Structures are given as structure tokens and as C-alpha cells.
Amino acid sequence: MLRRARKIIAVSHFTKWELTNYYKIPASKIQVIHNGVDINKFKPATDKRKAKAELGFNPDDIAIVSVGRLYARKGLFTLIESMPAVTKRFPNAKFIISGKGQSDEMNKLIAYAEKLGVKDNIVFTGYYPDKKLPKLYQAADVFAFSTFYEHHPFAVLEALATGLPVVTTKVGGIPETIDNGKNGFLVDTFNPNQFSDRILYYLNIQLRLRKWCKSTKKRLSSNLTGAL
């Protein structure tokens, strides 16, 4: 079928590379058009604490969200391995994993989280309806995507459109969207230390910002009160 097609649309240059190298499709027949995202649907939260509360999460918890099917190639064992270092620094961090998959895969992930002592810091939401998905992104503080095979995932685009700091892997077509250190961080696959390091980088910045804002507000309030 591919060879009979007059033109083939590839969602990334990585996809085009696979088609030319593995399926021997002439490069001239392939047009790269990256996946897009509805920025009117996926947009930054106006009140993140409210978004967390509306979904039944504790507004005081840090939400590290991952969206995708519970398949082995999503690399969720690596994400779970990164959790102890994160929860040691931020005990109120919750890793919220959204997506459906085979029940035995979820059971393996839960057992692994229990083995590492982070079971209470992980939440499996199961399938999230499309209409509620934007709210889940809005409730997140960081988006973490530990996949080891992708073409051009919608989840990364949706997280970026929501204004989230993104930590993901340098695989497939992801580096065509994430410019490492500029609009997100790219890490090696199967490297939990890199994942936790980059997640903590974002969380520490957010913590400092909250402290600065609180300090500034307190100082302004004191000055204004004194002036009166």
C-alpha cells in the first residue's frame, strides 16, 4: 500500500527516516507534516490549585503528570525509578500516571513502586476522557514522559500548549519539538537519575518563585501598613 501511494505524510522527520530506511520508500514521495495541537483547548491554568481540587487531588501536593498508554515502550519503570530522589526532596510530590493498558502491566508498576517505597506517591487514573484531559494538564506542575519509542507524540504537544515544564526522552521525533534546555529537557532513555535531576531542577525553581512571591507580598504589605 505504501509503495502504491502517490504521496505519504510523515508526522516527523524520524518517521520519514524509518519509511525510507526500513520500507524503502523514496524520500521524494514523503512529506513531513508535524502533528499539531488545539491551543484553545489546551492552555495554561488560571488557578492551578483549583484545577487540582476539581480533579480530587490535594491542592498542596506537587503533581508530576505523565499521559500515555500503559505499554512497556512508555518507559514507566524508568519514571518510577526516578521517584525516590524526587520524593526525598519533596515528600508531597505525586506522580500521576494517566492512561489505560493491560491490568498485569499496572500491577507490575504498582509492585515496583512498592518495592522502591514510593507506592503512596503514585496515582493511576486509568483512561482519562478527552474532555477532561486539558484539566489534568492544568493541574500538573511538571510533565514527565519517559518513553523509549515515539514518532511525534500528542502528549508532549499538549503539555507544551498548557505551559508545562517538560522532561522527556531524546527519541524519535521528540527532539524536533523539544529544544533541550530551552522549551524543555531531553534525557537519555532508561536513565532515572537524569529524569529525577531535571524534574528537581524545575521543582526547585518553582519553590524559589513561591518563596520570592510570598516574601515580596509580605514586604509590600508591611511597607504599605507602615505608610498608613
Side-chain angles (χ1 to χ4, degrees):
M1 183 180 292
L2 288 174
R3 290 185 175 85
R4 291 200 302 267
R6 293 182 179 179
K7 207 72 175 177
I8 298 171
I9 295 175
V11 297
S12 67
H13 291 284
F14 169 74
T15 307
K16 181 177 180 178
W17 180 86
E18 281 202 333
L19 289 170
T20 56
N21 284 271
Y22 296 149
Y23 298 93
K24 307 305 177 185
I25 305 298
S28 59
K29 291 180 63 174
I30 304 171
Q31 175 69 45
V32 175
I33 301 178
H34 288 105
N35 286 327
V37 62
D38 186 348
I39 60 174
N40 293 314
K41 178 179 179 181
F42 295 94
K43 50 190 175 183
T46 55
D47 187 336
K48 193 170 289 290
R49 289 177 59 84
K50 182 180 178 182
K52 290 178 182 179
E54 287 178 354
L55 295 179
F57 303 135
N58 186 339
D60 294 322
D61 283 345
I62 293 169
I64 301 163
V65 169
S66 183
V67 175
R69 291 180 179 272
L70 304 186
Y71 291 160
R73 75 179 193 185
K74 296 300 181 181
L76 291 172
F77 285 97
T78 299
L79 187 61
I80 291 174
E81 283 180 37
S82 76
M83 290 173 59
V86 175
T87 57
K88 181 179 180 180
R89 175 72 177 87
F90 295 95
N92 63 327
K94 301 294 185 186
F95 284 68
I96 301 168
I97 299 174
S98 174
K100 64 179 181 179
Q102 296 179 331
S103 58
D104 61 334
E105 186 71 15
M106 182 182 292
N107 291 336
K108 290 176 185 176
L109 292 167
I110 293 173
Y112 196 51
E114 186 170 18
K115 178 182 176 181
L116 296 178
V118 291
K119 181 183 176 183
D120 292 340
N121 295 86
I122 188 168
V123 177
F124 288 97
T125 69
Y127 170 72
Y128 232 75
D130 189 58
K131 288 184 178 180
K132 292 178 64 178
L133 197 54
K135 184 69 70 175
L136 179 63
Y137 285 107
Q138 290 181 340
D141 295 289
V142 174
F143 181 75
F145 199 58
S146 51
T147 182
F148 57 84
Y149 180 82
E150 292 288 338
H151 285 273
H152 196 242
F154 283 105
V156 171
L157 302 177
E158 292 162 355
L160 289 172
T162 312
L164 291 178
V166 172
V167 182
T168 185
T169 46
K170 53 180 80 168
V171 299
I174 294 177
E176 296 173 33
T177 294
I178 297 293
D179 191 354
N180 190 36
K182 294 184 178 180
N183 65 337
F185 282 119
L186 296 172
V187 302
D188 295 326
T189 54
F190 309 110
N191 195 319
N193 292 332
Q194 287 186 9
F195 256 101
S196 60
D197 181 68
R198 297 294 85 187
I199 290 171
L200 285 169
Y201 174 86
Y202 280 133
L203 295 182
N204 283 322
I205 287 177
Q206 292 174 1
L207 177 61
R208 287 199 294 270
L209 285 172
R210 287 194 296 271
K211 287 182 176 179
W212 288 338
C213 290
K214 186 176 181 180
S215 176
T216 300
K217 185 177 180 180
K218 183 178 180 180
R219 187 166 184 175
L220 283 172
S221 176
S222 177
N223 289 342
L224 289 171
T225 303
L228 294 172

